[in-house]
Amino acid sequence: MLTAILFVIIGAFSFGLLGTFVKLARQDGYDTANITFSQVATGFILILLLNLLARKKKAEDWKFTTGEKVKVALHGVCVGLINIFYFLSIWYGSAGTSIVLLTQSVWMGILLESILTRKFPSPRKIIAAVVILGGTVLATNLLLAGSSIGLAAIGFGLLAAVASTCSIYLSSRVVVNKSPLRRTLFLNMGCLLAVLIIWGPSLLQSFDAAVLWKWGLALALLGMVLPPLMYVKGMPVIGVGLSGIITSLQIPVGAIFACLVLRENINVYQWTGILLIIGAIVWLNIGLLRKTNTQ
C-alpha cells in the first residue's frame, strides 16, 4: 500500500514540475512546436526501449488486437491534445496559472458523468465544483485590476482541461486489462500522431534538433513516462478516492516551483484559490476514500 501511494506521489510531483521545465525551455528560445515534439518523441523512444527490455511475464497481456491498438492510440490523441493545449497556455500565461486551469477537469468530469449517466450530481459534487470555480477565479487573479493573464492562456488552459477530462474517462474504459507498459506504448503513438498533425508544418520550417538533447529527456520523463507508469501501478491499488487526493499535489508543486525557479509572483489571493481547489478535491474524494476503506 505504501509503495502504491509513493508511486502516485511521484507521478503527481512529476506532472507538477512539468510546467516549470516547459517555461525554462521557452526561455531558452524554443517555441511550443519544438518543445511539444521533443517531449513526445523522446517519451515514445523511452517507452519503446522499456518495452523491448521488459520481461514479459504473461504473453497474453502483451498481445493487442488491431482494434485495441486503435482504441489506445485514439486515447493517446487526447493525451497529445492535453500537452499541446497545456503548453500553449503556459506560453501565453504562467506555469502556476496553467496548472490551475488544467485542474478544471475535476468539475468537467462531474458534468460529463452527469450527462452520461443522466443523473443529477450529488450535493457534495455540486459544492465541490462551485468551490473549485471560485478558487480558480482567485488563483488566476481574474478579480484584480490590471491582471496580466490573457484570454489565450485561459482558453488553451480550459481546452487542456477538456482533453484531460476525455483522457480520464478513457483511462478506465479502454483496454484496461492488458500490460500497462505495452498500453503506454500505443498511447504514446497516438500522442505523437496528434503532435505531428498539428505541429508538422511548423516543425518542417523551424525544427531545431538541439531541443531533443537539451530538454527532450526531462520533459519526456516528467510528462510522458513517469506520470502514466506511476499512476497505472499505484492507482488500482489505493483506489480512486486516495488517488484523487494525492494527484491534487501537482497544483502546489507547480505553483511552488514556478515561484522558486521561474520567479513568478503568486499573491495571497492566488494561494487562497489554490488551497480552496485542493480542499475541494480532497473533500470530493473523501467519501470515495471512506468507501474504499470499508470494503
Side-chain angles (χ1 to χ4, degrees):
M1 183 71 168
L2 289 176
T3 302
I5 291 174
L6 181 60
F7 283 148
V8 180
I9 290 174
I10 292 173
F13 268 68
S14 298
F15 199 83
L17 280 169
L18 179 61
T20 295
F21 277 79
V22 171
K23 202 76 171 183
L24 289 172
R26 179 194 172 186
Q27 292 174 0
D28 200 25
Y30 297 103
D31 61 16
T32 305
N34 276 271
I35 294 171
T36 310
F37 177 75
S38 69
Q39 181 209 32
V40 175
T42 306
F44 174 73
I45 293 171
L46 290 175
I47 291 295
L48 178 61
L49 290 174
L50 289 174
N51 271 264
L52 294 174
L53 296 173
R55 296 178 61 183
K56 301 174 179 61
K57 296 180 180 179
K58 294 182 179 180
E60 61 272 16
D61 290 346
W62 287 72
K63 293 179 181 178
F64 283 62
T65 66
T66 301
E68 289 173 335
K69 292 176 183 178
V70 171
K71 288 178 181 178
V72 177
L74 289 175
H75 179 195
V77 170
C78 286
V79 177
L81 292 175
I82 295 171
N83 291 334
I84 290 167
F85 294 138
Y86 180 46
F87 290 3
L88 283 170
S89 179
I90 294 172
W91 180 271
Y92 289 105
S94 66
T97 297
S98 296
I99 192 71
V100 168
L101 291 168
L102 184 61
T103 59
Q104 302 311 294
S105 59
V106 176
W107 66 261
M108 290 180 183
I110 294 172
L111 178 61
L112 178 62
E113 180 186 45
S114 177
I115 293 173
L116 293 175
T117 61
R118 297 181 180 180
K119 294 181 180 179
F120 201 72
S122 66
R124 177 186 289 268
K125 291 180 179 179
I126 294 173
I127 294 171
V130 172
V131 173
I132 289 171
L133 287 170
T136 301
V137 171
L138 292 173
T140 53
N141 260 342
L142 290 178
L143 295 180
L144 294 183
S147 175
S148 59
I149 185 171
L151 291 177
I154 295 174
F156 284 123
L158 292 177
L159 285 173
V162 171
S164 179
T165 303
C166 294
S167 177
I168 293 169
Y169 174 79
L170 294 173
S171 292
S172 60
R173 288 167 175 80
V174 176
V175 196
V176 296
N177 298 320
K178 296 296 180 72
S179 164
L181 192 56
R182 194 69 168 174
R183 186 175 181 273
T184 304
L185 176 65
F186 297 122
L187 186 142
N188 279 14
M189 285 182 182
C191 186
L192 181 59
L193 177 63
V195 171
L196 288 175
I197 290 174
I198 292 179
W199 290 123
S202 178
L203 290 169
L204 288 174
Q205 295 178 0
S206 61
F207 177 63
D208 186 348
V211 70
L212 291 171
W213 60 266
K214 280 186 175 181
W215 297 104
L217 181 60
L219 294 171
L221 285 174
L222 294 174
M224 299 299 298
V225 178
L226 287 176
L229 287 180
M230 294 297 101
Y231 289 161
V232 166
K233 286 180 175 292
M235 286 183 174
V237 177
I238 68 176
V240 176
L242 187 54
S243 296
I245 293 171
I246 295 176
T247 53
S248 68
L249 290 173
Q250 67 189 29
I251 309 172
V253 169
I256 289 169
F257 276 87
C259 282
L260 296 177
V261 179
L262 303 174
R263 303 299 180 186
E264 291 184 1
N265 180 37
I266 300 181
N267 59 44
V268 66
Y269 297 104
Q270 290 175 286
W271 282 117
T272 301
I274 289 171
L275 291 176
L276 282 173
I277 293 170
I278 295 172
I281 294 172
V282 171
W283 186 69
L284 178 62
N285 287 282
I286 208 75
L288 290 172
L289 179 58
R290 289 172 178 168
K291 183 179 179 180
T292 301
N293 290 335
T294 57
Q295 290 178 346

